[in-house]
Amino acid sequence: MSLADLTKLPGVTAEPVAVTQGYVFNHTMIRVKDLAVSLDFYTRVLGFVPVHRQDFAEAAFTIVYLVLRGDRSVIPDDDTERLAWALAQPGVLELTHNHGTENDANFAYHNGNSEPRGFGHLCVSVPDVKAACARFDSLGVPFQKRLEDGRMKHIAFIRDPDGYWIEILQPGRIDG
Amino acid sequence: MSLADLTKLPGVTAEPVAVTQGYVFNHTMIRVKDLAVSLDFYTRVLGFVPVHRQDFAEAAFTIVYLVLRGDRSVIPDDDTERLAWALAQPGVLELTHNHGTENDANFAYHNGNSEPRGFGHLCVSVPDVKAACARFDSLGVPFQKRLEDGRMKHIAFIRDPDGYWIEILQPGRIDG
């Protein structure tokens, strides 16, 4: 569908107002049971870098912002600058850890894909989807859908430590 | 916390492997009850632009990818190029509409912030958080938390048509 036709879909505003020009879709927040386990997964398996951590002692939770940037030299060194930078970037991941959940064997978060449904998944695009999936396999990452499963042979879904689905795809290999 | 200390948090890998350098945190997918209502909200209120739409007739659902870019001239005109471009960008929003939910008065998606919890929110950062919140108010957008509510006076949360929470903040005005 052409860009012109997309702007004529029911509901779509003809022209976003100028005041929204500086708006940035900055981050997505998910709750995680065990922060160390999730930090291992997002940094080692997917290459994210933590750029900010904040404890809320009284409310007993911690947040960590992570970015996925091949060139880490773009990340400011100064703490205040780095936080302002992170909040102005698109594609930031926020992990929220409510203290103590990691010690409860029966505790689990809901990934949104069984009832009651809502949130669906995150997606990480990669330069080579086959190589990426082979690597995830070698690392023991669980798959929700392998490339060869189902009809859509160009996408896979892996699961993070909380069971959230992460779509893996290669730009230019999706038919649309 | 310094960048060096952040990389020493429990679980964080010392140095992401080189193979993850081309990985991009591309999109977040949420299911929406009424696509036209959500497209109105995300384009008119927040300034998103739809860049790809795909119908899955047999499975009876439609997806729309949206980006939030002040400079719309960066969006490729050609459909194939635009899809490949969109899938290589950070900060894309995917809306999934399961056909027919809009006609069921009792149908509602789960926003992840009541039991069973999991996904928390999206965040849009803005150049002027007070002006943005005043505008949302004038547009009749419901607030989950106004700037003046609670302890964190520099952030607000609005709700999208499905009740998903969207944090609104201004980079540089968050203390960290």
Side-chain angles (χ1 to χ4, degrees):
Chain A
M1 184 174 286
S2 75
L3 202 47
D5 285 344
L6 283 161
T7 62
K8 289 175 199 148
L9 287 175
V12 175
T13 194
E15 188 70 45
V17 296
V19 74
T20 65
Q21 284 223 347
Y23 288 18
V24 173
F25 175 20
N26 173 243
H27 71 249
T28 296
M29 186 280 264
I30 54 172
R31 298 175 178 88
V32 300
K33 172 175 175 159
D34 188 320
L35 188 59
V37 170
S38 293
L39 286 175
D40 169 64
F41 176 84
Y42 283 101
T43 62
R44 181 175 53 86
V45 176
L46 293 177
F48 280 83
V49 177
V51 291
H52 179 67
R53 174 185 187 273
Q54 192 169 352
D55 274 314
F56 297 84
E58 201 166 321
F61 73 94
T62 296
I63 63 171
V64 177
Y65 291 130
L66 300 106
V67 301
L68 189 48
R69 294 289 183 279
D71 180 6
R72 292 174 69 164
S73 71
V74 299
I75 303 171
D77 245 348
D78 177 78
D79 292 0
T80 306
E81 264 180 59
R82 190 172 58 255
L83 178 58
W85 173 85
L87 295 173
Q89 299 296 305
V92 173
L93 178 64
E94 177 181 5
L95 303 181
T96 293
H97 174 230
N98 289 300
H99 302 163
T101 53
E102 70 279 19
N103 300 320
D104 179 351
N106 295 316
F107 187 89
Y109 280 119
H110 176 64
N111 74 9
N113 294 303
S114 56
E115 297 300 332
R117 295 196 300 169
F119 166 73
H121 59 259
L122 309 177
C123 172
V124 170
S125 68
V126 299
D128 183 332
V129 71
K130 283 190 184 178
C133 287
R135 177 172 167 264
F136 298 144
D137 233 350
S138 75
L139 295 173
V141 175
F143 279 77
Q144 178 65 30
K145 177 209 172 298
R146 290 174 184 278
L147 289 173
E148 57 270 28
D149 296 338
R151 291 192 186 178
M152 299 187 224
K153 307 294 186 196
H154 293 321
I155 63 173
F157 283 86
I158 57 175
R159 292 195 302 270
D160 92 343
D162 287 278
Y164 294 112
W165 294 5
I166 301 172
E167 183 176 3
I168 307 296
L169 59 78
Q170 179 177 335
R173 291 210 58 189
I174 307 292
D175 295 334
Chain B
M1 184 176 284
S2 75
L3 203 46
D5 286 343
L6 283 161
T7 63
K8 288 175 200 148
L9 286 175
V12 175
T13 194
E15 188 71 44
V17 296
V19 74
T20 65
Q21 283 222 349
Y23 289 16
V24 173
F25 176 21
N26 173 243
H27 71 248
T28 297
M29 187 280 265
I30 54 172
R31 297 175 178 88
V32 300
K33 172 176 174 158
D34 188 320
L35 188 58
V37 170
S38 293
L39 286 175
D40 169 65
F41 177 83
Y42 283 100
T43 63
R44 181 176 53 87
V45 176
L46 293 177
F48 279 84
V49 176
V51 291
H52 179 67
R53 174 185 188 271
Q54 191 169 354
D55 274 313
F56 297 84
E58 202 167 319
F61 73 93
T62 297
I63 63 170
V64 176
Y65 291 130
L66 301 106
V67 301
L68 189 48
R69 294 288 183 280
D71 180 5
R72 292 174 69 164
S73 71
V74 301
I75 303 172
D77 245 348
D78 176 79
D79 292 0
T80 307
E81 265 180 59
R82 189 173 59 255
L83 178 58
W85 173 84
L87 294 173
Q89 299 296 305
V92 174
L93 178 64
E94 177 182 4
L95 304 181
T96 293
H97 173 231
N98 289 300
H99 302 165
T101 53
E102 70 278 19
N103 301 319
D104 179 351
N106 295 317
F107 186 89
Y109 280 118
H110 176 64
N111 75 9
N113 294 304
S114 56
E115 295 302 330
R117 294 197 300 169
F119 166 73
H121 60 259
L122 308 177
C123 171
V124 169
S125 69
V126 299
D128 183 331
V129 71
K130 282 190 184 175
C133 287
R135 178 172 165 265
F136 297 145
D137 233 350
S138 75
L139 295 173
V141 174
F143 279 77
Q144 178 65 31
K145 176 209 173 297
R146 290 175 183 278
L147 288 172
E148 57 269 28
D149 295 338
R151 289 190 186 180
M152 299 187 223
K153 307 294 186 197
H154 292 320
I155 62 172
F157 282 87
I158 57 174
R159 291 195 303 269
D160 92 343
D162 286 279
Y164 294 112
W165 294 3
I166 302 171
E167 183 176 4
I168 307 296
L169 59 77
Q170 179 178 335
R173 291 208 58 187
I174 307 292
D175 294 335

